[in-house]
């Protein structure tokens, strides 16, 4: 049963950092500086594939103001993989990147770095570095890269095929034989960037013992420490990563190591000065991006609308380095393509290919937006062709509440309300009045479409070799407030506020009595990165455990002081009372004061001893992983208007229904949905990074080149329906929200476009030109 | 960074001081209006030769006035100020300007100036397309001398204007056309923050019988190095009684006068097709304002 007598959780509280951010955000790492700091810049290769024959840095070194120059020979040649969420030495990842390498595999790969007294001098110095390259043949198309005779990008990787994961259940061929109908299609997605607002930035400082301290805009404090130590060949205890109070966006991008962190440390060690790097927007663009994927999907279906067999194959361009490729394709397959819908027979085959393109990275949804575009588009095609109602059809083929979790049958779908999402969303959108496909008249045609995502994660428990534990420390202050410390990085979604709400609720304090106290890797317990959809559920769980621990200690002291039984005490809104006799009360502040006071306290009545039992700072601590990985369930409905003369699409309205277990902060939850829809509309209709087909150079350098939806392109009506199914393993019943709201918009929009104009576009982005071409008008 | 050679930031208070600074730095002096275009050039490293910026805010070039003859707009008037011109709300003949001013983002409207938007000679902007349809005349002042030119004479090529070093645009004049006239403008854009894929502005006058007495059709946004007029389309309409068919036919004819380009915003084929669609829509929009 859903707990209803909550004071803080479920309330629309104001973010603690809201005002500060609006006026410039002192806490953003980009605003951080140290006295005497030098500025670093990287020289980048103009070639997509080359060997460096010679680098001459002498002219650069002579430029006044230049303090150090680094080339591949000056940096440890320790291969690494930049992903923070897996151990640096994990068997599950390929380590094929170097801080600076003699081999260039994508246009823009750094080949040298400079530290100088100003940014302008550092930039000038780059132009004075002479590099002699031996150009090698490059390949940018993953299908070309797999052909015999294609350039070899990594020595010994045949046909540039990094990995070929697969899985199957049942006998998919037999399943297709059983089918009354078979649907088949290929769905393609493009390379898009997360477009976080704050650039990647870091400042490293080295002390005389060689201990490195790094301040950074990264989304994982402990991952940063671990990767720094790994690539520099140091023990982790030689690196301290300092937590910024908040970071200006990540959306997945910043759970990777970039080149700048290690370079700043090396340059700092060499110069004995702090060294700062800040990416330009162009450098951010080529740092990492969502993997383009090509999905072939084949579905066998019975006359009654049940699946008999599902087959899919995925081609993933992992780019010049392995990075996330082998991992993202698995999440894509299990949680994106296959497990959300039941079928007796399933088979999936993946291919992860190297090309000379810029690195792939994590992006909110991690492989699932690419998958959902295929799955949800094809379901719409099936329903349209066979006359099924898309909602009933989905319910027929999706898991039910209480079912074993399709990924790990040891867990159950304890809370699971996909049916409610679909039904309530449909009702709000007026789904039953949806016009027949293509029946609208006039040049501008409206259509309604929907998509669901039946299975997703609330963290990473259960995945091999992915970190998933969190810790928290709660300390109570003599004024009755509490400090919460957690290594969770607030990347802009309001994590700090959510975690403070959870702590306040558990402690029995008012929301604004709990404050997030940032720390560093020396004094905080480990926390997994801010990625997946994990913070509220997983870090939130750890915060709740720490708060419960602190509360237990608080009540024990209170019981001594109040001469009451611990079991009889309760705390609410900062007051501790004996249950049933509210007159017997003491404030949290007074209890903490007693605990923090000297042994002998001289008051108005003279000296009075306090007892040893009361002594000590009242605190709580935790380091735990959640017991399961609860699945949210979502459905989104959109209405679009397609201008059939210009091909332009406007999203007029969106209704988003999401079973998130429990809403901790409705305002933050709505913000997530709006942001997800914005990124989803961009993915669906306009965003695409562009590259020179000859040189592979990224042509997207700023937001004049990169089209993402502005407030004007957003629908004026975005309606959220949050379904509170009360997940027993989540803090106060909560599970996740963050990613699913970006997984569903693209197929929902594609389906709405189909409903409006009867034309199916199977490659993103659905540009005006594609629409006009499909209508036979271009 | 981009302004690596900058030596001087001049803030002249008289035309003479403009000339002095211009004389000192010649081609390497750049006039600074609202700075919104210059900022983009700077960010892309295109101003590495500039030695002096001449900030013209103190020359008293902001302001606007409407008379029975038409409208005069000072070169330093921002889009946001221009939007407040009362005639925009009521005068059908100014419809194209009113429409064009709705498109730039608010941040740009607050700084971008009328002089800067035309001096930039950028074919992707909207206000110049509207001005061309409205037959804008410019006052240009240089060392001592003043001259009057038509807008088309200003455009010397892609991002190139015909001004001499030290010459300034001081004023833009729009003369009220005779008879029953109306104008309209449409921009096709990828997002509200983006420049035009294509844009079109038309001004049309008809007599009591609905016969077209005068028409000007201008197109911009990657259909040529500068904003262009479509003589072919204009010819089809002039002297004719306007019908839906004729408008459609004329809109098709714009293809003969433009050379659409391919870039990250659109293919040439799309631009060509869209130039026709929005010209037709702009004509219909103008006509609807006649009544
Ligand atoms: C993000 C963004 C979005 C935009 N969207 C739109 C849009 O939707 N529609 C649209 O129409 N435009 C748009 N623009 C373009 C905008 O209109 C121009 O940047 C602006 O009009 C330029 O005016 P300014 O006063 O800022 O010129 P500046 O940047 O100061 O100068 C531009 C050029 O003109 C010269 N110059 C300036 N004033 C004078 C003068 N009086 N005499 C002679 N030379 C002069 C300068 O030397 C420079 O070469 C957009 C721009 C940006 C950056």
């Amino acid at each position: 049963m859903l707990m209803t007598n909550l004071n803080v959780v479920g309330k629309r509280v104001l973010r603690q950092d809201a005002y500060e951010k609006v006026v410039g955000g002192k806490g953003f790492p980009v605003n951080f500086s140290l006295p005497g700091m030098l500025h670093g810049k990287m020289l980048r290769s103009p070639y997509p594939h080359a060997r460096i024959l010679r680098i001459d840095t002498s002219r650069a070194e002579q430029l006044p103001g230049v303090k150090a120059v680094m080339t591949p020979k000056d940096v440890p040649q320790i291969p690494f993989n930049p992903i923070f969420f897996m151990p640096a030495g994990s068997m599950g990842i390929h380590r094929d990147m170097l801080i600076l390498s003699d081999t260039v595999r994508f246009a823009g790969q750094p080949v040298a770095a400079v530290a100088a007294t100003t940014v302008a001098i550092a930039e000038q110095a780059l132009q004075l570095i002479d590099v002699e390259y031996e150009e090698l043949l490059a390949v940018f198309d993953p299908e070309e890269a797999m052909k015999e005779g294609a350039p070899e990008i990594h020595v010994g990787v045949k046909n540039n095929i990094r990995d070929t994961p697969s899985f199957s259940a049942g006998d998919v061929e037999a399943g297709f034989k059983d089918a009354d109908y078979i649907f088949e299609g290929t769905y393609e997605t493009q390379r898009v960037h997360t477009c976080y607002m704050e650039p990647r930035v870091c400042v490293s400082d080295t002390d005389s013992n060689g201990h490195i301290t790094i301040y950074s805009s990264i989304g994982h404090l402990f991952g940063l420490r671990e990767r720094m130590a790994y690539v520099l060949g140091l023990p982790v205890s030689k690196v301290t990563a300092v937590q910024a109070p908040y970071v200006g966006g990540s959306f997945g991008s910043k759970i990777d190591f970039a080149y700048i962190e290690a370079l700043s440390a090396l340059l700092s060690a060499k110069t004995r000065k702090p060294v700062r790097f800040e990416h330009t927007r162009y450098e951010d663009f080529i740092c990492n991006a969502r993997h383009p994927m090509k999905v072939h999907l084949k579905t066998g279906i019975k006359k009654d609308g049940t699946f008999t067999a599902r087959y899919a194959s995925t081609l993933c361009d992992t780019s010049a380095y392995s990075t996330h490729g082998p991992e993202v394709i698995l999440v894509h397959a299990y949680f994106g393509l296959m497990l959300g819908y039941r079928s007796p027979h399933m088979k999936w085959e993946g291919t992860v290919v190297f090309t000379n393109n810029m690195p792939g990275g994590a992006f909110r949804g991690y492989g699932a937006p690419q998958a959902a575009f295929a799955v949800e588009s094809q379901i719409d095609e099936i329903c349209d062709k066979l006359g099924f109602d898309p909602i009933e059809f989905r319910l027929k083929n999706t898991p039910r509440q209480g079912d074993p979790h399709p990924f790990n049958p040891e867990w159950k779908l304890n809370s699971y309300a996909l049916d409610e999402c679909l039904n309530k969303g449909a009702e709000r959108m007026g789904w039953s009045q949806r016009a027949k496909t293509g029946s609208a008249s006039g040049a501008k045609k409206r259509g309604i479409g929907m998509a669901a995502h039946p299975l997703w994660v609330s963290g990473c428990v259960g995945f091999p070799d992915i970190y998933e534990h969190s810790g928290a420390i709660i300390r109570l202050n003599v004024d009755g407030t509490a400090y919460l410390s957690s290594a969770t990085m607030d990347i802009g979604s309001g994590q700090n506020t959510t975690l403070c709400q959870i702590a306040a609720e558990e402690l029995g304090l008012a929301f604004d009595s709990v404050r997030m106290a940032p720390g560093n890797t020396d004094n905080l317990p480990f926390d997994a990165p801010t990625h997946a959809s994990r913070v509220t559920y997983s870090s939130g769980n750890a915060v709740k455990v720490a708060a419960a621990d602190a509360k237990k200690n608080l009540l024990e002291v209170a019981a001594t002081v109040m001469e009451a039984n611990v079991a009889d005490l309760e705390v609410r809104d900062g007051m501790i009372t004996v249950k049933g006799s509210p007159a017997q009360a003491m404030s949290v502040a007074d209890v903490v004061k007693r605990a923090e006071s000297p042994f002998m306290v001289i008051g108005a009545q003279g000296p009075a001893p306090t007892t040893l039992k009361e002594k000590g700072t009242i605190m709580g601590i935790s380091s735990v992983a959640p017991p399961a990985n609860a699945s949210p369930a979502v459905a989104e409905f959109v209405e679009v208007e397609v201008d059939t003369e210009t091909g332009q699409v406007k999203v007029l309205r969106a209704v988003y229904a999401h079973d998130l277990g429990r809403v901790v902060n409705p305002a933050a939850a709505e913000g997530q949905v709006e942001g997800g829809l914005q990124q989803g509309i961009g993915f669906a209709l306009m965003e695409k990074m562009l590259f020179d087909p000859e040189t592979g150079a990224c042509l997207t350098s700023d937001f004049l080149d990169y089209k993402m939806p502005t407030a004007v392109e957003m629908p004026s009506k975005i309606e959220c329906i949050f379904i509170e199914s009360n997940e027993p393993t989540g803090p106060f019943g909560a599970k996740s929200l963050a990613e699913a709201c970006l997984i569903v918009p693209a197929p929902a929009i594609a389906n709405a476009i189909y409903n409006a104009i009867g034309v199916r576009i199977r490659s993103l982005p659905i540009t005006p030109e594609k629409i006009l071409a499909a209508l036979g008008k271009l | 960074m981009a302004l690596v050679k900058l030596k001087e930031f001049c803030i002249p208070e008289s035309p003479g001081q403009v000339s002095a600074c211009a004389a000192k730095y010649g081609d390497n002096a750049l006039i600074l209006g609202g700075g919104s275009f210059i900022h983009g050039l700077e960010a892309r490293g295109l101003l590495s030769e500039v030695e002096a910026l001449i900030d013209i805010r103190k020359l008293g070039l902001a302001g606007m006035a409407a008379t029975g003859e038409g409208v005069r707009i000072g070169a330093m008037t921002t889009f946001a100020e221009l939007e407040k011109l009362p005639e925009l709300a009521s005068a059908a003949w100014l419809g194209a300007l009113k429409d064009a001013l709705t498109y730039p983002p608010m941040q740009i409207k607050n700084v971008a100036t009328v002089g800067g938007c035309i001096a930039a000679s950028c074919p992707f902007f909207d206000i110049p397309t509207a001005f061309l349809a409205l037959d804008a005349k410019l006052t240009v002042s240089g060392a001592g001398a003043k001259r009057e030119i038509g807008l088309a004479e200003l455009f010397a090529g892609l991002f190139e204007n015909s001004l001499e070093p030290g010459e300034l645009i001081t004023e833009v004049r729009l003369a009220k056309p005779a008879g029953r006239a109306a104008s309209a403008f449409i921009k096709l854009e990828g997002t509200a923050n983006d420049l035009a894929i294509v844009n079109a502005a038309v001004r049309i006058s008809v007599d009591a019988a609905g016969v077209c007495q005068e028409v000007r059709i201008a197109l911009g946004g990657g259909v040529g190095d500068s904003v262009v007029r479509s003589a072919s389309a204009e010819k089809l309409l002039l002297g004719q009684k306007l019908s839906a068919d004729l408008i459609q036919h004329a809109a098709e004819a714009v293809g003969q006068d433009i050379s659409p380009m391919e870039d990250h915003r659109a293919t040439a084929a799309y631009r060509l097709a869209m130039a026709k669609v929005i010209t037709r829509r702009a004509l219909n929009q103008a006509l609807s304002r006649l009544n």
Side-chain angles (χ1 to χ4, degrees):
Chain A
M1 205 195 73
L2 197 58
M3 297 172 66
T4 46
N5 58 340
L6 297 174
N7 288 328
V8 188
V9 163
K11 297 282 164 1
R12 200 174 275 275
V13 300
L14 188 68
R15 286 192 194 190
Q16 294 174 342
D17 53 22
Y19 181 78
E20 197 183 294
K21 278 182 174 172
V22 170
V23 297
K26 271 187 289 213
F28 284 124
V30 77
N31 291 333
F32 179 82
S33 70
L34 286 176
M37 179 171 85
L38 301 176
H39 299 271
K41 280 280 161 190
M42 290 170 283
L43 180 69
R44 293 174 177 273
S45 165
Y47 304 111
H49 198 191
R51 246 190 301 275
I52 296 172
L53 301 178
R54 200 181 53 88
I55 303 188
D56 182 354
T57 58
S58 53
R59 289 197 303 143
E61 277 160 46
Q62 280 154 23
L63 185 72
V66 171
K67 299 296 174 190
V69 183
M70 283 204 165
T71 65
K73 72 171 178 9
D74 307 309
V75 308
Q77 296 287 304
I78 300 172
F80 68 94
N81 184 309
I83 312 180
F84 287 148
F85 59 70
M86 296 174 89
S90 163
M91 298 300 288
I93 50 177
H94 300 282
R95 280 165 287 273
D96 50 21
M97 290 177 88
L98 293 169
I99 305 169
L100 292 176
S101 167
D102 278 332
T103 306
V104 169
R105 296 189 175 84
F106 69 96
Q109 183 177 321
V111 298
V114 172
T117 47
T118 68
V119 172
I121 294 174
E123 281 179 345
Q124 213 183 331
L126 297 183
Q127 291 169 21
L128 300 175
I129 299 175
D130 300 306
V131 188
E132 196 183 318
Y133 295 94
E134 177 195 347
E135 279 186 69
L136 303 172
L137 284 177
V139 60
F140 306 112
D141 180 317
E143 278 163 342
E144 292 297 318
M146 290 192 294
K147 288 188 181 153
E148 280 313 320
E152 183 181 65
I153 298 171
H154 288 271
V155 176
V157 179
K158 200 166 163 351
N159 297 338
N160 295 311
I161 296 174
R162 167 74 290 167
D163 271 339
T164 51
S166 64
F167 77 79
S168 87
D171 179 348
V172 79
E173 287 313 319
F176 282 120
K177 282 208 189 87
D178 279 354
D180 295 317
Y181 310 97
I182 292 179
F183 285 79
E184 215 169 339
T186 301
Y187 305 83
E188 280 184 84
T189 57
Q190 76 282 30
R191 189 175 268 104
V192 289
H193 196 267
T194 62
C195 298
Y196 44 75
M197 272 210 270
E198 184 183 27
R200 272 176 181 267
V201 64
C202 68
V203 182
S204 289
D205 196 11
T206 317
D207 72 10
S208 50
N209 296 321
H211 189 97
I212 299 162
T213 303
I214 181 160
Y215 308 78
S216 145
S217 59
I218 220 74
H220 187 205
L221 204 58
F222 279 88
L224 176 60
R225 175 178 82 154
E226 186 186 359
R227 277 308 176 287
M228 286 284 274
Y230 188 86
V231 300
L232 301 175
L234 296 172
V236 286
S237 57
K238 286 287 237 182
V239 180
T240 302
V242 181
Q243 187 177 33
Y246 41 79
V247 164
S250 161
F251 309 103
S253 278
K254 291 178 184 163
I255 54 160
D256 283 9
F257 205 46
Y259 295 98
I260 56 172
E261 294 87 7
L263 285 171
S264 71
L266 288 165
L267 287 164
S268 164
K270 193 161 168 186
T271 58
R272 298 255 157 245
K273 297 247 183 205
V275 176
R276 178 179 190 270
F277 274 86
E278 179 185 327
H279 271 186
T280 61
R281 182 54 66 177
Y282 172 71
E283 288 179 300
D284 275 326
F285 269 123
I286 62 170
C287 192
N288 61 39
R290 181 181 286 154
H291 297 78
M293 290 186 188
K294 188 168 174 178
V295 176
H296 185 79
L297 186 63
K298 183 174 168 186
T299 306
I301 208 157
K302 277 236 173 288
K303 284 206 174 92
D304 69 356
T306 52
F307 291 140
T308 61
R310 300 181 70 219
Y311 170 81
S313 67
T314 303
L315 178 63
C316 167
D317 175 2
T318 193
S319 76
Y321 294 98
S322 300
T323 69
H324 292 260
E327 197 63 31
V328 75
I329 200 170
L330 293 177
V331 177
H332 156 84
Y334 286 99
F335 282 83
L337 284 173
M338 304 310 269
L339 298 183
Y341 290 93
R342 282 188 313 247
S343 173
H345 308 287
M346 288 192 208
K347 184 172 175 181
W348 170 78
E349 294 170 301
T351 315
V352 180
V353 183
F354 282 127
T355 59
N356 292 108
N357 292 317
M358 58 160 287
F363 189 162
R364 197 173 180 185
Y366 208 63
Q370 297 96 314
F373 177 58
V375 172
E376 299 298 310
S377 292
Q378 193 173 75
I379 289 178
D380 204 60
E381 293 170 35
I382 294 169
C383 293
D384 185 66
K385 189 83 183 267
L386 303 181
F388 292 120
D389 173 66
I391 290 165
E392 279 168 31
F393 180 86
R394 282 176 172 85
L395 286 173
K396 196 173 275 188
N397 289 294
T398 44
R400 300 279 152 92
Q401 192 200 337
D403 282 359
H405 192 293
F407 183 65
N408 180 346
E410 280 176 25
W411 308 324
K412 275 207 162 28
L413 296 173
N414 289 312
S415 61
Y416 186 77
L418 180 66
D419 49 352
E420 248 184 276
C421 295
L422 287 163
N423 292 328
K424 287 192 171 156
E427 193 185 321
R428 182 76 70 85
M429 181 49 103
W431 180 255
S432 56
Q433 277 105 58
R434 183 169 92 132
K436 257 180 75 88
T437 296
S439 62
S441 60
K444 294 186 179 176
K445 299 188 197 297
R446 290 189 175 190
I448 292 177
M450 61 90 45
H453 200 62
L455 193 78
W456 190 238
V457 299
S458 285
C460 299
V461 157
F463 288 92
D465 240 2
I466 298 187
Y467 287 126
E468 188 59 62
H469 58 291
S470 294
I473 302 171
I474 305 260
R475 285 171 295 151
L476 297 193
N477 292 313
V478 291
D479 57 6
T481 64
Y483 285 154
L484 164 62
S485 302
S486 145
T488 303
M489 296 300 298
D490 188 329
I491 55 169
S493 358
Q495 281 91 354
N496 285 352
T497 305
T498 301
L499 296 179
C500 286
Q501 283 181 275
I502 290 171
E505 187 67 58
E506 182 65 27
L507 286 165
L509 298 181
F511 166 64
D512 44 16
S513 294
V514 180
R515 184 177 156 260
M516 189 57 91
N520 60 52
T521 51
D522 294 359
N523 58 27
L524 290 171
F526 180 92
D527 206 314
T530 300
H531 76 136
S533 292
R534 67 173 295 279
V535 169
T536 302
Y537 182 73
S538 297
S539 302
N541 189 45
V543 166
K544 186 165 184 279
V545 172
D549 188 30
K551 181 168 146 184
K552 178 174 153 281
N553 294 332
L554 171 73
L555 294 184
E556 274 170 11
V557 176
T560 310
V561 179
M562 293 166 77
E563 295 175 352
N565 203 327
V566 178
D568 294 339
L569 296 180
E570 64 183 0
V571 51
R572 207 179 161 93
D573 222 1
M575 287 305 289
I576 298 166
T577 48
V578 175
K579 282 179 211 159
S581 54
Q584 264 188 286
M586 200 173 166
S587 72
V588 170
D590 284 343
V591 174
V592 179
K593 257 183 237 148
R594 280 288 285 263
E596 294 282 7
S597 66
F599 288 96
M600 190 70 80
V601 178
I602 303 169
Q605 275 79 42
T610 62
T611 72
L612 206 56
K613 250 178 111 182
E614 307 165 23
K615 286 295 115 214
T617 297
I618 297 178
M619 42 185 194
I621 186 157
S622 72
S623 180
V624 292
N629 189 340
S631 180
V634 309
E636 183 155 52
F637 298 76
V638 298
E639 182 176 19
V640 301
E641 184 178 82
V642 184
D643 184 330
T644 55
E645 289 183 345
T646 65
Q648 293 197 315
V649 177
K650 185 138 183 58
V651 180
L652 302 174
R653 187 180 170 207
V655 173
Y656 181 79
H658 185 126
D659 164 19
L660 45 45
R662 153 81 72 184
V663 191
V664 178
N665 181 354
E670 287 160 11
Q672 287 288 294
V673 173
E674 287 156 18
L677 180 63
Q678 190 259 5
Q679 287 182 315
I681 292 175
F683 186 50
L685 298 177
M686 60 189 86
E687 292 182 30
K688 184 175 186 172
M689 293 184 69
L690 296 173
F691 297 85
D692 183 315
E694 298 296 316
T695 65
C698 179
L699 302 175
T700 304
S701 60
D702 58 29
F703 291 122
L704 203 56
D705 302 326
Y706 192 80
K707 305 296 156 224
M708 57 176 187
T710 70
V712 178
E713 282 74 49
M714 290 296 286
S716 51
K717 261 181 121 178
I718 304 171
E719 295 154 74
C720 296
I721 303 172
F722 293 127
I723 289 148
E724 300 196 294
S725 61
N726 195 22
E727 167 58 34
T729 64
F732 299 103
K735 43 189 182 179
S736 78
L737 172 62
E739 292 171 296
C741 48
L742 166 55
I743 297 173
V744 283
I749 290 168
N751 294 342
I753 291 173
Y754 180 80
N755 179 241
I757 60 173
V759 156
R760 175 75 55 190
I761 313 279
R762 295 192 183 83
S763 78
L764 298 183
I766 304 176
T767 59
E769 308 199 6
K770 285 185 192 167
I771 288 184
L772 288 189
L775 288 171
K777 293 187 177 179
L778 199 68
Chain B
M1 279 272 150
L3 282 163
V4 280
K5 293 196 185 157
L6 190 69
K7 292 189 189 128
E8 202 173 334
F9 191 87
C10 316
I11 312 180
E13 291 181 12
S14 69
Q17 290 173 350
V18 178
S19 310
C21 188
K24 194 164 157 197
Y25 294 100
D27 279 345
N28 294 332
L30 189 68
I31 289 164
L32 181 67
S36 65
F37 182 65
I38 288 179
H39 169 77
L41 297 177
E42 191 225 333
R44 283 161 183 233
L46 297 172
L47 299 185
S48 53
E49 298 303 318
V50 170
E51 293 176 339
L53 287 173
I54 308 176
D55 180 338
I56 58 171
R57 262 176 300 185
K58 292 203 171 160
L59 291 178
L61 297 177
M64 54 209 178
T67 63
E69 314 277 270
V71 180
R72 310 163 75 95
I73 309 160
M76 285 299 282
T77 310
T78 63
F79 295 174
E81 290 165 50
L82 182 54
E83 263 191 314
K84 295 184 203 147
L85 185 75
E87 283 67 20
L88 283 182
S90 53
W93 70 273
L94 282 171
L97 184 57
K98 179 179 126 181
D99 295 341
L101 285 168
T102 61
Y103 290 101
M106 202 59 228
Q107 296 94 320
I108 296 296
K109 282 190 205 178
N110 285 334
V111 295
T113 66
V114 165
C117 86
I118 51 182
S121 293
C122 173
F124 301 98
F125 294 174
D126 301 322
I127 283 67
T129 308
F131 277 161
L132 191 62
L134 296 176
D135 199 11
K137 298 280 189 286
L138 317 178
T139 307
V140 170
S141 87
K146 250 192 189 184
R147 57 189 180 107
E148 305 272 307
I149 57 172
L151 181 60
E153 287 167 66
L154 179 77
F155 301 134
L158 189 62
F159 305 125
E160 265 181 58
N161 64 38
S162 60
L163 301 177
E164 297 295 326
E167 268 193 327
L168 284 183
I169 299 166
T170 54
E171 193 177 79
V172 176
R173 277 176 301 108
L174 307 173
K176 185 174 179 223
R180 273 173 75 212
S183 73
F185 167 94
I186 291 177
K187 171 192 185 188
L188 194 75
E189 60 188 6
T191 72
N193 229 1
D194 197 13
L195 300 179
I197 299 169
V198 274
N199 60 29
V202 305
R203 187 180 78 179
I204 195 155
S205 310
V206 296
D207 66 10
V211 173
C212 176
Q213 301 296 303
E214 193 239 16
V215 59
R216 294 174 65 92
I217 298 179
L219 291 122
V223 295
D225 282 352
S226 303
V227 179
V228 292
R229 273 178 72 186
S230 175
S232 313
E234 290 173 4
K235 207 164 87 194
L236 287 168
L237 297 172
L238 197 64
Q240 304 295 316
K241 199 166 157 60
L242 301 176
S243 66
D245 274 356
L246 184 63
I247 284 170
Q248 168 80 31
H249 190 49
E252 292 287 326
V254 301
Q256 296 163 32
D257 302 315
I258 58 176
S259 28
M261 62 170 83
E262 162 135 25
D263 66 5
H264 66 284
R265 293 193 180 93
T267 60
Y270 182 69
R271 280 202 165 93
L272 176 62
M274 290 311 100
K276 297 173 184 176
V277 170
I278 62 167
T279 301
R280 169 167 50 77
R281 289 184 179 180
L283 281 165
N284 285 328
Q285 170 85 347
L287 287 180
S288 74
R289 286 180 176 154
L290 277 174
N291 306 318

